[in-house]
Amino acid sequence: MPSLLKVLGISFGVIVVVGVVVGSITWAVLATRPLPPPELKPLDWWENTIIYQIYPRSFKDSDGDGIGDIQGIISKLDHLVEAGVGAIWMSPIFVSPMVDFGYDISDFYNIQTEYGTMADFEELVEKAHNLGIKIILDYVPNHASTDSEYFKKSVDREPGYENYFIWADPIITNTSDRQVPSNWISQFGGSVWEWNEQRQQYYLHQFAIEQADFNFREPAVRNEMLNIMKFWFEKGADGYRLDALPHLFEANPNDHNGTYPDEPLSGDMFVRPDQAGYTTQVHVRDQIELYDVVYEWREVADRWTEANETDTKILLAEAYANISMTMLYYGDENNRTGAHFPFNFDFITSLSASSNARDFVYTILRWLTYMPRGNVANWVFGNHDQNRVPSRFRPNMMDGLNSLNMMLPGVAITYQGEEIGMRDGYVSWEDTVDVAACNQGNPDNYLEFSRDPARTPYQWDNTTSAGFSTNATTWLPVGLDYMELNLQAQREAERSHFKVYQALTQLRKEPALSHGEYHIESLTANTLILVRHLRTYDTYALVFNVGQEQDVVDLSTVSLLRDPLTVYISSIHSNRNIDDTIPLEGSLTLTAGEALVLRGSPT
Ligand code: NOJ
Ligand code: MG
């Protein structure tokens, strides 16, 4: 039978050749045609936002009393928009005798008069929301001021309030007078136990004497906390930063024959017997029961969001704890979820001016390694409890550190002033007001404990009180360097920390940053590289010399980088300018602290 091919006059050999040729062309075309850009999964509002912490007392004073206030914040919302932040977290603005500057709340449902009124708060929420800025409040569940109605009623043993706080009988032996129930030491020094004459019992306080710890084993307390949470949700708060969570519970006397067990001594020779850390704190921190409470709050917040069809209400856990106890705040192995994230304090607790690039890489990867799958990372560089960033590290590292903050995956957190590189203020012993320092009663080492230097007023410009207040006297003195170091000067300068910060907050919108993969490694002992990349989109890489000397690196070994590489952002002392080309081959010399954000072609 004559084959069809023969009839058509084409030999089999020709068919094969043509087939192979056509096939190869198709293959070649397919292989070189770029794949479509990856789909960018829509993110919830908080998942890659920038949260800016405001310490209200020190941000902006609108009425000349030398104390920051809510109208002051409203008057500076334009700064937050210019800076490019997505949310503000305000340290407590509720009624308080201010022993711990607002962390001792006496009325959880009202605004401290020196900060403003409920109407001011409502105005702030409305104006911020109109500008696309979310409002996160500080939630202080662990303790209340001894001035609060809760505490007074508990002292009076008013029905329903008897067990609102942790009350304990004294220990009396036939050889001694009244003694405290255990050797536990408060975070601010001295015993956690304070005698109350009227009740003839001790109450427990893990912080100042005026901050009595709630009893979280009392259902009425748990319930009241939920009421407070919902109250401010209703007022428009978009979430909470949850204060001092490791301290929510202490060892349960029911597990210890009805007594409060003493803690073993830590053996730390540098800690005095009346200072926290003298004992191991095994009975006063990280008690496992506390996580149930956090998971319950998350459920309540989620249910509230759902029922009211609002944007997600977020919960951020403040916990200085080891990595495992910290990660439990995200949730547990039984699919219970907790905070949207616990603050990542690693840049505060694990890194300092003496860290090298390997320390940085190791510390960063530690968080990303331990974080349970599907969660969002976050990066904290400073807050109102810690020395400011340029003082803890070095001033020439400010831009590099802000770059890390903005370029690492997840949420970036900025403490007010970091965008302009504010340093610790100088506060003399006479001017010191922080209870943590005053309690030491010792002018010799107060600076070791004082949080005042991180709380001096924001430096807006070079006028009276740095533009913070029209009053020449402010609640804490203005930093001595405000004439040179202030926002106004940095807005006008050609290069400044603020301009770098603005460029970084814009950069975060790039797909490689919002959705991309990360790669981080140390190129040398002192220089690290962080690459953010996402197929078909431009790649961005941070090269940062964290050391104190010039360093030479070789980028050609970083396989994710593609020519041409250009400078996208450079730290203020760098002599490289935007759009300078950086050759991939050859060596790159970086001065101490120099940070470059490079843009490269897609990988
Ligand atoms: C943590 C807060 O950040 C700090 O300022 C405060 O003193 C303690 N919690 C007690 O509320
Ligand atoms: Mg004021």
Side-chain angles (χ1 to χ4, degrees):
M1 192 178 82
S3 85
L4 181 60
L5 291 175
K6 280 254 169 67
V7 169
L8 291 172
I10 303 168
S11 80
F12 181 68
V14 171
I15 290 279
V16 168
V17 169
V18 169
V20 168
V21 169
V22 170
S24 315
I25 290 170
T26 318
W27 172 246
V29 168
L30 273 183
T32 51
R33 196 177 65 198
L35 293 168
E39 208 181 302
L40 302 182
K41 161 180 152 282
L43 298 173
D44 199 352
W45 71 264
W46 60 275
E47 291 181 298
N48 73 333
T49 194
I50 301 164
I51 298 177
Y52 184 95
Q53 182 194 352
I54 288 181
Y55 195 68
R57 219 175 168 72
S58 301
F59 192 60
K60 172 69 187 171
D61 172 22
S62 72
D63 59 1
D65 64 355
I67 295 170
D69 43 54
I70 296 174
Q71 280 301 334
I73 298 173
I74 293 174
S75 74
K76 292 297 185 185
L77 283 173
D78 54 348
H79 168 58
L80 304 175
V81 172
E82 249 193 38
V85 309
I88 57 179
W89 147 40
M90 291 181 288
S91 281
I93 50 174
F94 316 108
V95 183
S96 161
M98 295 292 159
V99 171
D100 191 18
F101 296 106
Y103 286 96
D104 49 321
I105 302 174
S106 53
D107 178 354
F108 287 71
Y109 296 97
N110 277 299
I111 305 284
Q112 170 78 352
T113 316
E114 61 194 345
Y115 293 160
T117 61
M118 191 62 91
D120 291 327
F121 175 72
E122 286 161 358
E123 184 183 335
L124 170 63
V125 170
E126 197 191 322
K127 293 199 164 145
H129 283 172
N130 286 340
L131 293 167
I133 294 175
K134 303 278 190 196
I135 302 280
I136 298 167
L137 292 179
D138 215 312
Y139 185 73
V140 187
N142 181 66
H143 42 262
S145 164
T146 47
D147 256 15
S148 64
E149 288 305 308
Y150 306 129
F151 189 76
K152 291 180 189 157
K153 288 178 178 167
S154 198
V155 169
D156 287 343
R157 295 181 195 265
E158 213 175 276
Y161 292 89
E162 302 98 320
N163 299 320
Y164 238 70
F165 297 87
I166 316 269
W167 293 102
D169 292 329
I171 294 178
I172 304 199
T173 63
N174 39 20
T175 56
S176 72
D177 293 339
R178 186 183 77 211
Q179 274 186 5
V180 292
S182 67
N183 69 349
W184 302 350
I185 296 166
S186 132
Q187 296 305 303
F188 294 158
S191 174
V192 300
W193 299 108
E194 181 71 11
W195 181 249
N196 182 274
E197 269 302 322
Q198 191 181 331
R199 244 186 96 136
Q200 288 291 299
Q201 277 186 311
Y202 288 100
Y203 67 87
L204 178 138
H205 61 92
Q206 292 228 40
F207 293 90
I209 291 171
E210 298 84 350
Q211 291 165 297
D213 274 47
F214 280 119
N215 175 9
F216 265 86
R217 295 193 182 99
E218 169 70 25
V221 167
R222 302 264 285 253
N223 204 40
E224 179 64 1
M225 284 301 136
L226 298 182
N227 292 339
I228 295 168
M229 179 171 282
K230 291 182 220 159
F231 178 83
W232 294 101
F233 279 166
E234 229 135 86
K235 290 267 173 219
D238 298 293
Y240 290 109
R241 172 263 193 188
L242 313 171
D243 182 74
L245 297 185
H247 305 278
L248 277 195
F249 285 87
E250 296 75 31
N252 190 343
N254 292 343
D255 300 334
H256 299 272
N257 302 321
T259 65
Y260 287 93
D262 276 343
E263 295 186 315
L265 304 187
S266 68
D268 187 336
M269 296 186 318
F270 299 101
V271 180
R272 287 194 323 245
D274 63 343
Q275 289 174 329
Y278 188 73
T279 61
T280 52
Q281 309 193 53
V282 284
H283 295 310
V284 296
R285 301 184 86 114
D286 304 332
Q287 308 297 298
I288 201 74
E289 285 167 275
L290 79 89
Y291 295 95
D292 290 334
V293 175
V294 178
Y295 301 157
E296 183 186 350
W297 288 336
R298 175 62 182 269
E299 247 181 78
V300 168
D302 283 353
R303 258 189 273 129
W304 203 95
T305 305
E306 225 179 271
N308 294 276
E309 295 179 6
T310 62
D311 288 354
T312 307
K313 305 280 181 197
I314 61 168
L315 302 179
L316 317 179
E318 189 226 18
Y320 291 88
N322 71 37
I323 192 85
S324 305
M325 297 314 268
T326 301
M327 291 300 159
L328 267 186
Y329 289 97
Y330 274 119
D332 68 4
E333 300 298 323
N334 303 320
N335 288 323
R336 293 192 299 170
T337 43
H340 289 74
F341 55 79
F343 283 132
N344 174 357
F345 291 132
D346 288 349
F347 276 92
I348 293 169
T349 53
S350 303
L351 296 170
S352 68
S354 56
S355 306
N356 67 21
R358 288 165 185 144
D359 299 321
F360 273 79
V361 172
Y362 180 74
T363 302
I364 289 165
L365 286 177
R366 191 170 72 127
W367 186 275
L368 295 168
T369 304
Y370 277 85
M371 184 173 72
R373 266 184 100 81
N375 281 292
V376 174
N378 76 98
W379 312 93
V380 179
F381 285 72
N383 59 42
H384 63 293
D385 294 329
Q386 310 293 340
N387 295 97
R388 286 203 178 103
V389 174
S391 307
R392 271 198 344 268
F393 292 91
R394 278 181 295 280
N396 70 4
M397 294 172 75
M398 193 68 235
D399 297 322
L401 293 169
N402 276 338
S403 304
L404 273 176
N405 193 1
M406 294 299 155
M407 291 181 69
L408 283 164
V411 175
I413 296 161
T414 296
Y415 175 54
Q416 66 179 45
E418 281 170 15
E419 75 279 27
I420 57 171
M422 264 180 72
R423 305 173 189 189
D424 282 346
Y426 173 68
V427 185
S428 67
W429 170 249
E430 288 70 32
D431 286 341
T432 294
V433 290
D434 177 19
V435 58
C438 296
N439 270 9
Q440 299 299 322
N442 180 357
D444 296 332
N445 65 347
Y446 74 100
L447 278 178
E448 207 183 302
F449 300 93
S450 182
R451 298 170 295 177
D452 290 338
R455 299 174 176 180
T456 57
Y458 190 95
Q459 294 167 197
W460 296 101
D461 57 37
N462 63 9
T463 64
T464 305
S465 292
F468 161 71
S469 175
T470 52
N471 198 323
T473 310
T474 51
W475 81 281
L476 277 178
V478 170
L480 299 173
D481 55 4
Y482 80 94
M483 289 297 279
E484 299 81 44
L485 203 165
N486 61 68
L487 176 68
Q488 186 56 30
Q490 295 199 15
R491 292 178 74 221
E492 285 161 10
E494 206 185 307
R495 297 177 85 129
S496 68
H497 295 309
F498 185 60
K499 293 210 166 147
V500 168
Y501 187 88
Q502 281 183 303
L504 288 165
T505 58
Q506 289 310 306
L507 173 63
R508 279 174 74 80
K509 297 177 182 151
E510 289 290 321
L513 280 100
S514 60
H515 289 75
E517 307 289 317
Y518 63 86
H519 167 83
I520 184 163
E521 64 176 305
S522 48
L523 295 171
T524 64
N526 280 326
T527 299
L528 63 84
I529 186 166
L530 166 66
V531 186
R532 298 300 310 277
H533 59 103
L534 184 63
R535 184 166 53 79
T536 77
Y537 292 101
D538 284 345
T539 295
Y540 290 90
L542 167 68
V543 188
F544 180 18
N545 175 5
V546 303
Q548 300 194 59
E549 276 153 36
Q550 176 176 299
D551 200 16
V552 181
V553 302
D554 170 11
L555 296 180
S556 68
T557 57
V558 184
S559 61
L560 289 161
L561 297 182
R562 297 277 179 283
D563 269 326
L565 272 183
T566 54
V567 173
Y568 191 71
I569 300 171
S570 59
S571 52
I572 61 171
H573 300 300
S574 168
N575 49 30
R576 288 173 175 104
N577 297 307
I578 312 246
D579 290 338
D580 281 3
T581 308
I582 301 289
L584 194 49
E585 298 295 328
S587 57
L588 174 68
T589 303
L590 297 161
T591 57
E594 184 168 3
L596 301 174
V597 178
L598 307 175
R599 175 165 57 185
S601 306
T603 40

